[in-house]
Amino acid sequence: MKTLTICVATIVSVLATGGITMIRASDVSGPLPIVFSAATIGLDGKSRNEFAVKEPIWVRFSLENVSDGKVTLWGFADRADGVVITVEGDSSRRARALSRGIVIDQCYSPMVFQPRERITFDILLADWVDIAGEGTVDLQATYDAGFPVGKFPVGKGSEEFTTRLRAMGVDERPLRRKTNFSVTLKGQIEGKGLEALLKDLQTLYASDSSVVSTADRLKAIQSRLKAIQSVRAIRVVETLPLLAKAVEDKVEEVQFEAVRSLSVLPYPDVTPILKKAADSRYELVKLAAQVELDRREKANPGSF
């Protein structure tokens, strides 16, 4: 099957993305048969909604085609780019939604759902919501895919673009789904609990990404990414050795996520690790590291 992917570069905290001009398209009636749901999970992948303060909380989102027919939409290649999380009701007194100002390439491509197929993806809640202290927080996630309501792309090359999309069976209808979920924080991660958590991160990171099978290699890389990303929830100095190792990883995505995790840690020992990342052979990693070094220099002139 032929695929079509378009990528748009976005820069740190600017979030000014070039878009495609839109016009009205023919009306297509009837709702799309896609159901959106969410569940909170721990590092072990098991579903639960009670966690300790600063424990990594992952949210597993599901998009399910509940029909007996195939559905093809135009959406983000990285499913998480279609998600917005908001804090509901009184929960706003102990939690706030965060702005996702990061360096990425936003890629758009057809999303193909086979009959009754479910697609899942995980996000680290700490990247999206800041929760202060113990208690229960009510959240709502909105997922968007497809084109804005009643619109389809036009402009230079639009005729060929639109023809290719329709030839692939891409549905012109937009998808917007909402789901509510809650998480409860109780107790602190400290002492033996923190030691066990740090050991779990080391085990996750130790996943071998040099295995022959492509599927196994991707699974290993995802484990390494999960370990490095989880640091952004824990935020303790004991995670620095792991990040120092990660900025020298052979995988670009792992290096990049290590820089993102370093950027939320206030410790002075972060600076030499960032300088090492600024010498990476990967341009995106070098850029992200240098941006963070510049930010720290402005915040504390002469401290380097």
Side-chain angles (χ1 to χ4, degrees):
M1 175 181 175
K2 293 183 179 180
T3 59
L4 174 63
T5 301
I6 291 180
C7 295
V8 180
T10 3
I11 294 296
V12 181
S13 72
V14 175
L15 299 180
T17 303
I20 300 171
T21 304
M22 302 289 179
I23 60 167
R24 290 243 164 228
S26 57
D27 291 331
V28 183
S29 61
L32 285 163
I34 303 295
V35 173
F36 181 49
S37 59
T40 49
I41 60 174
L43 270 179
D44 57 4
K46 294 181 180 179
S47 178
R48 56 191 170 100
N49 64 358
E50 187 173 297
F51 298 82
V53 175
K54 291 192 174 182
E55 182 181 358
I57 304 170
W58 290 81
V59 184
R60 176 158 295 165
F61 291 115
S62 297
L63 291 163
E64 183 179 5
N65 176 12
V66 294
S67 76
D68 292 322
K70 186 170 75 170
V71 177
T72 304
L73 302 173
W74 180 249
F76 290 103
D78 182 346
R79 303 292 176 245
D81 286 338
V83 174
V84 173
I85 297 179
T86 55
V87 181
E88 296 292 285
D90 292 340
S91 295
S92 59
R93 291 182 297 181
R94 67 172 67 92
R96 63 185 179 91
L98 300 174
S99 172
R100 299 181 67 225
I102 55 175
V103 179
I104 54 173
D105 281 336
Q106 285 189 322
C107 295
Y108 307 80
S109 63
M111 296 170 58
V112 181
F113 293 83
Q114 298 300 328
R116 303 292 170 179
E117 182 181 13
R118 179 195 297 264
I119 295 175
T120 64
F121 58 95
D122 299 346
I123 63 116
L124 178 69
L125 187 60
D127 284 344
W128 302 72
V129 178
D130 180 31
I131 303 175
E134 300 183 34
T136 298
V137 173
D138 297 317
L139 304 166
Q140 183 179 84
T142 302
Y143 188 82
D144 282 300
F147 297 101
V149 176
K151 297 182 179 180
F152 220 56
V154 295
K156 186 176 181 180
S158 64
E159 184 175 345
E160 178 187 356
F161 176 73
T162 302
T163 299
R164 291 179 66 184
L165 284 182
R166 287 174 174 155
M168 291 178 199
V170 173
D171 199 305
E172 298 177 28
R173 288 172 291 179
L175 175 75
R176 168 163 286 190
R177 295 289 184 270
K178 296 179 183 290
T179 187
N180 291 78
F181 62 101
S182 63
V183 60
T184 299
L185 300 188
K186 185 177 181 180
Q188 302 284 332
I189 284 285
E190 54 189 4
K192 291 185 178 180
L194 178 58
E195 290 178 10
L197 180 56
L198 294 173
K199 186 176 180 180
D200 288 342
L201 294 186
Q202 291 284 355
T203 300
L204 271 177
Y205 186 81
S207 300
D208 186 4
S209 61
S210 63
V211 289
V212 177
S213 166
T214 300
D216 287 344
R217 183 172 184 273
L218 289 174
K219 185 177 180 180
I221 292 173
Q222 287 301 317
S223 291
R224 295 159 85 85
L225 287 170
K226 196 167 191 177
I228 298 305
Q229 291 166 342
S230 294
V231 168
R232 298 198 284 271
I234 307 169
R235 301 193 181 197
V236 295
V237 70
E238 289 86 351
T239 58
L240 288 182
L242 181 62
L243 296 178
K245 185 185 298 184
V247 297
E248 296 182 317
D249 199 278
K250 294 180 181 179
V251 180
E252 180 180 10
E253 291 84 352
V254 175
Q255 286 193 21
F256 180 70
E257 288 298 328
V259 172
R260 286 191 63 197
S261 293
L262 286 164
S263 70
V264 305
L265 300 178
Y267 312 110
D269 291 344
V270 166
T271 300
I273 305 176
L274 283 171
K275 288 181 176 179
K276 188 181 296 183
D279 290 329
S280 171
R281 64 187 177 123
Y282 299 114
E283 290 300 320
L284 194 61
V285 176
K286 291 172 65 173
L287 173 62
Q290 193 57 57
V291 166
E292 180 57 23
L293 285 168
D294 291 346
R295 185 190 70 80
R296 290 177 181 240
E297 172 64 21
K298 287 182 179 179
N300 299 284
S303 60
F304 284 37

